[in-house]
Amino acid sequence: MNFSDNNRLRMHATVRQFSTSVLRQALIRPPIDVYGVGGRYATALFSAASKQKKLEQVEKEMRTLSALIKDPKLSSIVMNPHVKRSLKLKFFGDAMTKANLSPISVNLITVLADNGRLTLTADVVGAFAKMMSAHRGEVICTVTTAHPLDEANLAELKVALNGFLAKGETLILETKSDASILGGMIVSIGDKYVDMSTKTKIHKLTKIIRDS
């Protein structure tokens, strides 16, 4: 390799590094980070929609996309690893055209298809929904108990959880029942996760006894 070749390689690397830096600076970050591959695509989608002031429109279109991928006929093609990407995109594209989706949403599906990630569509939609919820100041909290909570306990729980919120935030509470945790509760609020279930306490106690 001669000197000229070396210079071209260095120049190419410099340009690529500069382009990456510019892209990072231009990215509008969502109010919360959602990790994983789906979260990265959702972050890019949030940035694009935010720049075009179409966050609410894209949010509605994500709900449409969610319904589309649940359609048995479309899902059997799009989620089939043996079907060619071009064919998947054609079927998905026809469905999106019929649903009159914006170029932002269509571009998302095109990129997912090009990267062989169409099976992650539901993950991207879910991640974007979390970002939009945080954008509105909503804090999603999921509480799992062994048995459904009565009205008195539910009201007391809401008061306690509201103490974690900052000014202007709104609690969105979802309760679930799972008899396998035996008792206590598991709380997931924002990026915090607290396992106070009887099942976990028993496991910890058992481990202590075994290790002693």
Side-chain angles (χ1 to χ4, degrees):
M1 184 180 292
N2 58 38
F3 178 78
S4 179
D5 290 333
N6 279 327
N7 274 350
R8 280 198 294 270
L9 285 173
R10 290 195 189 98
M11 180 62 71
H12 178 71
T14 302
V15 170
R16 184 172 58 186
Q17 185 178 6
F18 174 76
S19 298
T20 303
S21 175
V22 170
L23 284 172
R24 285 175 179 169
Q25 291 174 11
L27 186 70
I28 297 177
R29 303 293 306 181
I32 60 169
D33 289 323
V34 180
Y35 301 101
V37 179
R40 291 201 295 272
Y41 281 101
T43 296
L45 178 65
F46 184 93
S47 180
S50 182
K51 289 176 183 178
Q52 297 187 34
K53 302 186 185 304
K54 292 183 178 180
L55 282 171
E56 287 73 22
Q57 178 185 341
V58 171
E59 183 181 24
K60 291 178 182 178
E61 293 180 351
M62 288 301 103
R63 288 195 284 268
T64 300
L65 272 180
S66 182
L68 286 176
I69 60 177
K70 290 177 183 176
D71 177 77
K73 185 177 179 180
L74 183 62
S75 180
S76 65
I77 296 171
V78 174
M79 303 302 171
N80 190 336
H82 302 295
V83 176
K84 291 182 178 179
R85 292 179 189 176
S86 57
L87 188 60
K88 289 181 181 182
L89 189 55
K90 180 187 182 304
F91 275 89
F92 219 150
D94 291 343
M96 289 189 295
T97 299
K98 187 178 294 185
N100 197 29
L101 298 189
S102 69
I104 297 176
S105 297
V106 173
N107 183 60
L108 166 70
I109 296 302
T110 302
V111 172
L112 287 173
D114 287 344
N115 295 335
R117 302 282 194 177
L118 275 178
T119 54
L120 293 178
T121 302
D123 292 343
V124 178
V125 171
F128 187 79
K130 290 180 181 179
M131 293 172 184
M132 286 302 297
S133 185
H135 175 69
R136 288 189 292 269
E138 299 170 352
V139 177
I140 299 174
C141 177
T142 303
V143 176
T144 304
T145 54
H147 306 286
L149 296 171
D150 58 32
E151 289 299 323
N153 284 327
L154 186 60
E156 187 176 350
L157 178 63
K158 286 181 179 178
V159 171
L161 292 173
N162 274 305
F164 289 95
L165 304 183
K167 186 178 180 180
E169 292 181 334
T170 304
L171 180 70
I172 305 297
L173 179 61
E174 178 187 6
T175 57
K176 297 180 179 180
S177 297
D178 181 0
S180 71
I181 72 170
L182 303 178
M185 64 177 62
I186 299 172
V187 180
S188 174
I189 179 168
D191 59 355
K192 299 177 179 64
Y193 180 86
V194 182
D195 188 343
M196 299 177 289
S197 67
T198 302
K199 181 179 180 180
T200 296
K201 289 178 181 178
I202 291 174
H203 283 169
K204 288 181 179 178
L205 180 59
T206 302
K207 187 177 186 303
I208 290 172
I209 293 173
R210 285 176 178 172
D211 293 345
S212 61

